[in-house]
Amino acid sequence: MADQVGATNLRSLWRVFRRNRMALVGLFMLGAMIFTAVFAPQIAPHDPDEVIRISIDDIYAKPGANHLLGTDDAGRDVLSNFIYGARVSLTVGFFAAAISVFIGATVGIFAGFYGGRVENLLMRFTDIMLVIPDLPLAIVLVALTKPRLSNIIIVIGILGWTGTARLIRSQTLAVKQRKFVLRARAIGAGNWHIIRRHIFPLVLPLIVVNTVLAISLAILAESTLSFIGLGDPTTLSWGQMLNYAFGRGAMSSGALWALITPGLGIVWVVLACTLLGQGLEQMLNPRTEWHHLSVGAEMVDREQIARHAAMREEASLGAAPTGSPASG
Amino acid sequence: MSKATMQPEPDSPILEVTDLRKLFPVKKVRLFGAKDRFVHAVDGVSFQVGHGEVLALVGESGCGKSTLALTLMGLEKPTSGDILFEGDSLASQNSRGLKTWRRHIQMVFQDPYESLNPLMTIGDIVAEPLVVHGIAPNREEREARVIRALEDSGLKPATEYLHRLPHELSGGQRQRVVIAGALVLEPTVLLADEPVSMLDVSIRAEILNLLADLRQKRGISILFITHDMGTIAHFADRIAVMYLGRIVEIGQTLEVLSNPQHPYTKALLSVVPVPNPRLRRERIILQGETPNPIDLPSGCRFHPRCPVAFEQCPVVDPRLLSIGDQDEIPHAAACLLVNAESQPVP
Amino acid sequence: MINDTNIPSTLMEVNHLSIDYVTPGRPPAHAVEDVTLTLREGEVLGLVGESGCGKTTLMLSLMRLLPAAGRIVGGEVNFMGTDLLNLSETDIADVRWKRISMIFQGAMNALNPVRTVGDQISEAITQHIPMNDKTALDNRVGELLDLVGIAPHRKVEYPHQYSGGMRQRAMIAMALACTPQVVIADEPTTALDVMIQAQILELLQTLQQKLGLAIILVTHDLGLVAEMCDSVLVMYGGVTAEYSDVDTIFNEPKHPYTQELLKAFPDLSNPRETLASIPGYPPRLDALPPGCRFAPRCPAVFDRCHVEQPDIHAVTPTHYTSCHLVENS
């Protein structure tokens, strides 16, 4: 059952990861977009803030040598807007996902670990949050606060954690059942120690997967809010590009590039996150892949795993470590 | 149990369990006046463990032996009865006292594949008890202790194992790690819950010998919980046989093995496979399975499965009474056939 | 057992069977090498060895159920006149379950929790034998349950209503569904309580006598072997260590591994102070020692053992062992 004897955790993880083509593609897609966002000033052909004099020809200009993807209603370069927009969308995605996963994981771990009344309270609260429709509430909250980017991030963050909480809770429940937690109790360890050393490291992979998926959800949510006009007017996200193009006659002018470009950006990132997230999930899920980081492998189907292990041992991928000293 | 049945050991016992009971309430849908129902996991168990003694607790799953172990560790609160460790009562411990309690009594679990955190290195696993109890805060000293515990558990040289992960070790090695993790606190009592049942035969012997060794060298008392008479015959001083939450027979190992009194003990012994085809013998195979500990049979709990039950058995609940000579280490059994005098006068 | 004439006819002959596991980029692992055995009608053969000794691989190969990486690199499995290894996939499917069936390790957890036990047993029948008559099928299921000691009316219950022992019985019923001649039982009693274990063994013995079954009992428990088996094949590191009738194996073992294994087994009838243990670990099958595979752990090892792999020698016509000491004597 040890197909990575002696290898470090990370390296063995990478070896498994490399075999998953879907995850690799997702990682590459996401990496490319992050690169674009980080090096936007170097990549973008035009500065979005540059003051331009526009003539009527510059509005919704067709893609050409000067404007590779044409211009928008204000005569700005769509490609440059798109590149800078990646910064906004990804920022919202990462920060909002971080907030929602943080809340979700905390609620999930505490509910799962303590059980009883704590669990009841936390999970009923989660259920309430779950049944409130996110989008109307987000609209209300954003409308009530100032439409600043930070507010949007917070609103998306505090509305998106329920799924994570439920998932992490069930995983915590499963980990809590395992014998090494009982062993930790038997040596006198307290709750905090057990959560920190035994529960958290084992739910961490799930948290990572969830974060990746949460990023795509947050980007979608931000785009939705911006598209209906609740975005931060001082920044230009992909959602806002869509909003402007849609509201200012891109369709009727036949300037499809102003609509398709930001749309493709959203699809690109969401697809990247989904692929990466699913790939990671597959990799860490004991049902589909064998890795010792696959949390709770043994809980899923002890017998099947035992057979699996026996098989591997038969194949001698490591019953006993080589060169280990005789003991006894 | 009456005083007469359990003579105290020559020296005072390290662990003394008196009339211990642990009931778990069963969740019920309460209609009109539904009675509370309980799982009688441990139901009136008394025994003592002497210094450096190995007491084997034998019984099938559902007999309450694992609950008993958890209760002894203070991980389950007894419903009634008490446990004394060197004269200290478990019932009177506060949370700090309980922590000290768990330092002196350590546990080795059945499944070495499950009882190690897969993400922690062997060194961290064995050091964990020290960290939890704040012993040897100094790094070098801690490592020295971890190395000593690993080597005492037969993992030599210990430095080879410190940075490995559990999945890199074989089952036998993992169980040694579990034992090292218990030894590092230098406990005086070790509770071993089926420590070898998941291991290969050749490895089993090694682990059993290791435990026997620890008893000899360190004078650790061991409470060895198992369902297999065969494994403990070699090194237990005494055997206590449990059925449905009670001890039905207790006595010196050789005495119980050669002269079992309770029909349940007799049956258990008869089904232990003998590794010699020339000694194939009649097995007493009890039909059915242990009844669930919620609806206990009336009278003697064993009577529905007992091959020699008679009309008194469903009526009278036999007490654990001593057989024969009183001044030896007592051999006691709870069976009407053995202790006719335990029948109450009608 | 092997050359006697007054003994029932041979059912299965495994001749010089070798199986490798191939992993790209690694040397092949020799999981089974040159194993020869004979199974007669109604015989109970014990296959003994520690985990990773190749015993499960050997059994899976008899039903051609090897995992994808497994390759049969030599030998034959002669079953009632046909070589199973040369059969087409459809033909072997016809042999599986109808002629040779298997009780898997930990099988009591292999039942589908949302379907009744009876349903799952009838499926095991209809998968192999088309049966349109519903009543006949129902009767057959009831008959099978009765055979393994479960009241037939319980066929409508779900696995969770069964105890562990009963689930194992249901799995045995499933293995018997198509009246096979050979049943391979892979650790049929591990994880069961001693008393349930005894019940299951008794059941297997009764079935063996009643139905004339040949059973291959794969186990690491020498006690079971002594109680149940007629002949024993001891495997170590993928090769035959010793093969003989049960009495010889337990009372006149010639291979040091068998001898050590017996010493390590707790014996209630003969309690010793300490149990002997075999130091070290079984070899990895992809990094086998150059000579005898047991040499690194053998108490009687000498120079030749480290360089030359011993052949299988016949001590008597019914007793085979692969040890240089035997050849020398």
Side-chain angles (χ1 to χ4, degrees), chain C residues 9-47:
Chain C
S9 60
T10 304
L11 261 184
M12 185 192 279
E13 261 179 336
V14 175
N15 290 321
H16 307 288
L17 185 66
S18 299
I19 301 161
D20 282 359
Y21 279 107
V22 285
T23 324
R26 285 179 192 243
H30 306 296
V32 173
E33 211 171 310
D34 195 20
V35 170
T36 297
L37 64 88
T38 312
L39 186 70
R40 291 173 187 282
E41 262 173 42
E43 180 180 342
V44 183
L45 169 73
L47 190 60

Tab-separated table of all heavy atoms in Angstrom, chain C residues 9-47:
chain	number	residue	atom	x	y	z
C	9	SER	N	-10.792	-39.319	-7.872
C	9	SER	CA	-10.084	-38.836	-9.048
C	9	SER	C	-9.674	-37.370	-8.907
C	9	SER	O	-10.244	-36.620	-8.138
C	9	SER	CB	-10.973	-39.002	-10.274
C	9	SER	OG	-12.143	-38.251	-10.054
C	10	THR	N	-8.688	-37.051	-9.692
C	10	THR	CA	-8.135	-35.700	-9.646
C	10	THR	C	-9.090	-34.714	-10.303
C	10	THR	O	-9.610	-34.965	-11.386
C	10	THR	CB	-6.803	-35.688	-10.407
C	10	THR	OG1	-5.966	-36.669	-9.818
C	10	THR	CG2	-6.152	-34.337	-10.329
C	11	LEU	N	-9.311	-33.597	-9.637
C	11	LEU	CA	-10.154	-32.547	-10.200
C	11	LEU	C	-9.306	-31.516	-10.915
C	11	LEU	O	-9.592	-31.123	-12.037
C	11	LEU	CB	-10.889	-31.820	-9.067
C	11	LEU	CG	-12.318	-32.179	-8.748
C	11	LEU	CD1	-12.810	-31.246	-7.675
C	11	LEU	CD2	-13.190	-32.084	-9.977
C	12	MET	N	-8.280	-31.102	-10.230
C	12	MET	CA	-7.504	-29.992	-10.761
C	12	MET	C	-6.028	-30.245	-10.541
C	12	MET	O	-5.619	-30.740	-9.489
C	12	MET	CB	-7.915	-28.709	-10.034
C	12	MET	CG	-7.257	-27.456	-10.583
C	12	MET	SD	-7.494	-26.060	-9.511
C	12	MET	CE	-9.123	-25.552	-9.954
C	13	GLU	N	-5.262	-29.959	-11.575
C	13	GLU	CA	-3.814	-30.085	-11.447
C	13	GLU	C	-3.182	-28.774	-11.862
C	13	GLU	O	-3.404	-28.299	-12.972
C	13	GLU	CB	-3.300	-31.197	-12.363
C	13	GLU	CG	-3.080	-32.493	-11.649
C	13	GLU	CD	-2.597	-33.569	-12.588
C	13	GLU	OE1	-2.852	-33.471	-13.800
C	13	GLU	OE2	-1.964	-34.511	-12.108
C	14	VAL	N	-2.438	-28.187	-10.966
C	14	VAL	CA	-1.707	-26.978	-11.313
C	14	VAL	C	-0.267	-27.403	-11.516
C	14	VAL	O	0.338	-27.999	-10.625
C	14	VAL	CB	-1.815	-25.935	-10.190
C	14	VAL	CG1	-0.962	-24.721	-10.497
C	14	VAL	CG2	-3.258	-25.536	-9.978
C	15	ASN	N	0.265	-27.140	-12.715
C	15	ASN	CA	1.624	-27.586	-13.012
C	15	ASN	C	2.538	-26.408	-13.285
C	15	ASN	O	2.328	-25.648	-14.226
C	15	ASN	CB	1.635	-28.512	-14.231
C	15	ASN	CG	0.995	-29.841	-13.904
C	15	ASN	OD1	1.177	-30.374	-12.814
C	15	ASN	ND2	0.204	-30.359	-14.841
C	16	HIS	N	3.550	-26.273	-12.467
C	16	HIS	CA	4.618	-25.277	-12.667
C	16	HIS	C	4.079	-23.903	-13.016
C	16	HIS	O	4.549	-23.248	-13.944
C	16	HIS	CB	5.587	-25.758	-13.756
C	16	HIS	CG	6.108	-27.130	-13.489
C	16	HIS	ND1	7.015	-27.378	-12.488
C	16	HIS	CD2	5.818	-28.335	-14.056
C	16	HIS	CE1	7.290	-28.677	-12.469
C	16	HIS	NE2	6.565	-29.289	-13.386
C	17	LEU	N	3.091	-23.460	-12.291
C	17	LEU	CA	2.468	-22.171	-12.587
C	17	LEU	C	3.343	-21.026	-12.080
C	17	LEU	O	3.825	-21.043	-10.948
C	17	LEU	CB	1.092	-22.109	-11.917
C	17	LEU	CG	0.247	-20.872	-12.221
C	17	LEU	CD1	-0.144	-20.848	-13.691
C	17	LEU	CD2	-1.001	-20.854	-11.366
C	18	SER	N	3.566	-20.050	-12.958
C	18	SER	CA	4.318	-18.853	-12.565
C	18	SER	C	3.547	-17.615	-12.982
C	18	SER	O	3.010	-17.549	-14.079
C	18	SER	CB	5.692	-18.826	-13.239
C	18	SER	OG	6.435	-19.950	-12.836
C	19	ILE	N	3.493	-16.655	-12.087
C	19	ILE	CA	2.770	-15.414	-12.374
C	19	ILE	C	3.641	-14.221	-12.013
C	19	ILE	O	4.253	-14.186	-10.941
C	19	ILE	CB	1.454	-15.348	-11.570
C	19	ILE	CG1	0.561	-16.539	-11.909
C	19	ILE	CG2	0.714	-14.051	-11.842
C	19	ILE	CD1	-0.495	-16.818	-10.891
C	20	ASP	N	3.722	-13.269	-12.929
C	20	ASP	CA	4.459	-12.027	-12.671
C	20	ASP	C	3.478	-10.866	-12.597
C	20	ASP	O	2.420	-10.906	-13.195
C	20	ASP	CB	5.425	-11.735	-13.831
C	20	ASP	CG	6.681	-12.592	-13.733
C	20	ASP	OD1	6.780	-13.375	-12.768
C	20	ASP	OD2	7.525	-12.471	-14.633
C	21	TYR	N	3.891	-9.846	-11.856
C	21	TYR	CA	3.187	-8.569	-11.953
C	21	TYR	C	4.100	-7.613	-12.692
C	21	TYR	O	5.276	-7.479	-12.335
C	21	TYR	CB	2.874	-8.008	-10.571
C	21	TYR	CG	1.651	-8.636	-9.951
C	21	TYR	CD1	1.749	-9.534	-8.909
C	21	TYR	CD2	0.388	-8.308	-10.431
C	21	TYR	CE1	0.630	-10.112	-8.354
C	21	TYR	CE2	-0.749	-8.877	-9.877
C	21	TYR	CZ	-0.623	-9.776	-8.835
C	21	TYR	OH	-1.739	-10.336	-8.288
C	22	VAL	N	3.575	-7.010	-13.732
C	22	VAL	CA	4.413	-6.085	-14.483
C	22	VAL	C	3.964	-4.653	-14.224
C	22	VAL	O	2.787	-4.327	-14.330
C	22	VAL	CB	4.384	-6.388	-15.995
C	22	VAL	CG1	5.219	-7.618	-16.280
C	22	VAL	CG2	2.977	-6.600	-16.486
C	23	THR	N	4.917	-3.833	-13.849
C	23	THR	CA	4.668	-2.414	-13.692
C	23	THR	C	5.635	-1.725	-14.641
C	23	THR	O	6.809	-2.062	-14.641
C	23	THR	CB	4.977	-1.966	-12.260
C	23	THR	OG1	4.600	-3.006	-11.378
C	23	THR	CG2	4.263	-0.697	-11.903
C	24	PRO	N	5.135	-0.825	-15.473
C	24	PRO	CA	6.051	-0.162	-16.405
C	24	PRO	C	7.206	0.486	-15.636
C	24	PRO	O	7.000	1.108	-14.608
C	24	PRO	CB	5.172	0.897	-17.071
C	24	PRO	CG	3.774	0.469	-16.829
C	24	PRO	CD	3.772	-0.342	-15.574
C	25	GLY	N	8.395	0.305	-16.168
C	25	GLY	CA	9.549	0.954	-15.561
C	25	GLY	C	10.121	0.252	-14.352
C	25	GLY	O	11.016	0.777	-13.710
C	26	ARG	N	9.580	-0.917	-14.013
C	26	ARG	CA	10.127	-1.673	-12.892
C	26	ARG	C	10.395	-3.091	-13.354
C	26	ARG	O	9.746	-3.562	-14.281
C	26	ARG	CB	9.120	-1.753	-11.753
C	26	ARG	CG	8.936	-0.487	-10.945
C	26	ARG	CD	7.888	-0.819	-9.913
C	26	ARG	NE	7.390	0.378	-9.235
C	26	ARG	CZ	7.556	0.581	-7.935
C	26	ARG	NH1	8.203	-0.278	-7.206
C	26	ARG	NH2	7.066	1.655	-7.374
C	27	PRO	N	11.296	-3.773	-12.677
C	27	PRO	CA	11.440	-5.186	-13.009
C	27	PRO	C	10.170	-5.928	-12.604
C	27	PRO	O	9.502	-5.521	-11.653
C	27	PRO	CB	12.637	-5.631	-12.169
C	27	PRO	CG	12.759	-4.626	-11.087
C	27	PRO	CD	12.211	-3.348	-11.635
C	28	PRO	N	9.804	-6.990	-13.346
C	28	PRO	CA	8.569	-7.698	-12.975
C	28	PRO	C	8.694	-8.311	-11.587
C	28	PRO	O	9.776	-8.720	-11.167
C	28	PRO	CB	8.451	-8.786	-14.044
C	28	PRO	CG	9.820	-8.919	-14.630
C	28	PRO	CD	10.463	-7.578	-14.509
C	29	ALA	N	7.578	-8.346	-10.873
C	29	ALA	CA	7.572	-8.968	-9.557
C	29	ALA	C	7.088	-10.398	-9.709
C	29	ALA	O	6.012	-10.633	-10.266
C	29	ALA	CB	6.640	-8.188	-8.636
C	30	HIS	N	7.888	-11.332	-9.249
C	30	HIS	CA	7.501	-12.742	-9.395
C	30	HIS	C	6.602	-13.134	-8.235
C	30	HIS	O	7.069	-13.567	-7.190
C	30	HIS	CB	8.742	-13.626	-9.433
C	30	HIS	CG	9.721	-13.202	-10.472
C	30	HIS	ND1	9.433	-13.225	-11.815
C	30	HIS	CD2	10.983	-12.722	-10.375
C	30	HIS	CE1	10.478	-12.787	-12.493
C	30	HIS	NE2	11.430	-12.465	-11.644
C	31	ALA	N	5.311	-12.973	-8.426
C	31	ALA	CA	4.371	-13.200	-7.332
C	31	ALA	C	4.198	-14.685	-7.043
C	31	ALA	O	4.028	-15.089	-5.901
C	31	ALA	CB	3.036	-12.569	-7.657
C	32	VAL	N	4.209	-15.483	-8.108
C	32	VAL	CA	4.084	-16.924	-7.942
C	32	VAL	C	5.108	-17.553	-8.865
C	32	VAL	O	5.259	-17.129	-10.018
C	32	VAL	CB	2.670	-17.417	-8.323
C	32	VAL	CG1	2.607	-18.931	-8.316
C	32	VAL	CG2	1.622	-16.847	-7.376
C	33	GLU	N	5.868	-18.531	-8.390
C	33	GLU	CA	6.866	-19.138	-9.238
C	33	GLU	C	6.848	-20.645	-9.079
C	33	GLU	O	7.032	-21.168	-7.975
C	33	GLU	CB	8.248	-18.564	-8.889
C	33	GLU	CG	9.150	-18.532	-10.103
C	33	GLU	CD	10.436	-17.767	-9.811
C	33	GLU	OE1	10.348	-16.645	-9.305
C	33	GLU	OE2	11.512	-18.315	-10.077
C	34	ASP	N	6.590	-21.330	-10.169
C	34	ASP	CA	6.731	-22.774	-10.246
C	34	ASP	C	5.933	-23.509	-9.159
C	34	ASP	O	6.480	-24.315	-8.426
C	34	ASP	CB	8.221	-23.131	-10.157
C	34	ASP	CG	8.463	-24.572	-10.609
C	34	ASP	OD1	7.595	-25.118	-11.308
C	34	ASP	OD2	9.512	-25.127	-10.255
C	35	VAL	N	4.653	-23.189	-9.081
C	35	VAL	CA	3.836	-23.867	-8.078
C	35	VAL	C	3.094	-25.041	-8.727
C	35	VAL	O	2.501	-24.893	-9.787
C	35	VAL	CB	2.827	-22.904	-7.427
C	35	VAL	CG1	1.830	-23.667	-6.584
C	35	VAL	CG2	3.563	-21.887	-6.577
C	36	THR	N	3.195	-26.188	-8.098
C	36	THR	CA	2.528	-27.387	-8.598
C	36	THR	C	1.647	-27.929	-7.479
C	36	THR	O	2.111	-28.025	-6.334
C	36	THR	CB	3.568	-28.448	-8.991
C	36	THR	OG1	4.353	-27.927	-10.065
C	36	THR	CG2	2.898	-29.737	-9.417
C	37	LEU	N	0.418	-28.233	-7.777
C	37	LEU	CA	-0.432	-28.855	-6.767
C	37	LEU	C	-1.522	-29.682	-7.426
C	37	LEU	O	-1.807	-29.530	-8.616
C	37	LEU	CB	-1.031	-27.805	-5.834
C	37	LEU	CG	-1.988	-26.746	-6.383
C	37	LEU	CD1	-3.424	-27.233	-6.361
C	37	LEU	CD2	-1.878	-25.478	-5.549
C	38	THR	N	-2.094	-30.561	-6.651
C	38	THR	CA	-3.154	-31.430	-7.150
C	38	THR	C	-4.344	-31.318	-6.211
C	38	THR	O	-4.167	-31.292	-4.991
C	38	THR	CB	-2.694	-32.901	-7.150
C	38	THR	OG1	-1.418	-32.962	-7.760
C	38	THR	CG2	-3.681	-33.770	-7.898
C	39	LEU	N	-5.520	-31.236	-6.775
C	39	LEU	CA	-6.720	-31.199	-5.953
C	39	LEU	C	-7.631	-32.328	-6.392
C	39	LEU	O	-7.976	-32.440	-7.566
C	39	LEU	CB	-7.420	-29.844	-6.124
C	39	LEU	CG	-8.619	-29.590	-5.224
C	39	LEU	CD1	-8.186	-29.414	-3.779
C	39	LEU	CD2	-9.387	-28.371	-5.690
C	40	ARG	N	-7.982	-33.189	-5.417
C	40	ARG	CA	-8.844	-34.315	-5.751
C	40	ARG	C	-10.280	-34.005	-5.344
C	40	ARG	O	-10.528	-33.077	-4.603
C	40	ARG	CB	-8.369	-35.566	-5.018
C	40	ARG	CG	-7.063	-36.035	-5.545
C	40	ARG	CD	-6.513	-37.165	-4.725
C	40	ARG	NE	-5.178	-37.448	-5.188
C	40	ARG	CZ	-4.923	-38.143	-6.301
C	40	ARG	NH1	-5.897	-38.659	-7.001
C	40	ARG	NH2	-3.681	-38.338	-6.684
C	41	GLU	N	-11.179	-34.823	-5.836
C	41	GLU	CA	-12.588	-34.636	-5.483
C	41	GLU	C	-12.761	-34.721	-3.977
C	41	GLU	O	-12.245	-35.632	-3.334
C	41	GLU	CB	-13.434	-35.725	-6.143
C	41	GLU	CG	-14.081	-35.252	-7.424
C	41	GLU	CD	-14.769	-36.396	-8.143
C	41	GLU	OE1	-15.414	-37.192	-7.449
C	41	GLU	OE2	-14.638	-36.464	-9.369
C	42	GLY	N	-13.462	-33.777	-3.419
C	42	GLY	CA	-13.764	-33.826	-1.997
C	42	GLY	C	-12.583	-33.540	-1.085
C	42	GLY	O	-12.677	-33.705	0.120
C	43	GLU	N	-11.478	-33.087	-1.661
C	43	GLU	CA	-10.300	-32.823	-0.841
C	43	GLU	C	-10.345	-31.391	-0.298
C	43	GLU	O	-10.837	-30.480	-0.952
C	43	GLU	CB	-9.043	-33.000	-1.704
C	43	GLU	CG	-7.757	-32.744	-0.952
C	43	GLU	CD	-6.525	-32.925	-1.847
C	43	GLU	OE1	-6.645	-33.566	-2.905
C	43	GLU	OE2	-5.465	-32.419	-1.471
C	44	VAL	N	-9.844	-31.216	0.913
C	44	VAL	CA	-9.696	-29.858	1.436
C	44	VAL	C	-8.205	-29.551	1.463
C	44	VAL	O	-7.438	-30.187	2.178
C	44	VAL	CB	-10.289	-29.712	2.851
C	44	VAL	CG1	-10.168	-28.272	3.320
C	44	VAL	CG2	-11.742	-30.140	2.870
C	45	LEU	N	-7.821	-28.604	0.624
C	45	LEU	CA	-6.422	-28.240	0.526
C	45	LEU	C	-6.201	-26.907	1.241
C	45	LEU	O	-6.907	-25.938	0.983
C	45	LEU	CB	-6.019	-28.106	-0.946
C	45	LEU	CG	-4.652	-27.481	-1.229
C	45	LEU	CD1	-3.532	-28.444	-0.864
C	45	LEU	CD2	-4.536	-27.084	-2.689
C	46	GLY	N	-5.241	-26.881	2.141
C	46	GLY	CA	-4.925	-25.627	2.825
C	46	GLY	C	-3.786	-24.931	2.122
C	46	GLY	O	-2.790	-25.554	1.786
C	47	LEU	N	-3.968	-23.645	1.876
C	47	LEU	CA	-2.899	-22.862	1.261
C	47	LEU	C	-2.464	-21.848	2.303
C	47	LEU	O	-3.216	-20.938	2.652
C	47	LEU	CB	-3.447	-22.177	0.008
C	47	LEU	CG	-2.449	-21.503	-0.900
C	47	LEU	CD1	-1.434	-22.498	-1.405
C	47	LEU	CD2	-3.185	-20.902	-2.070
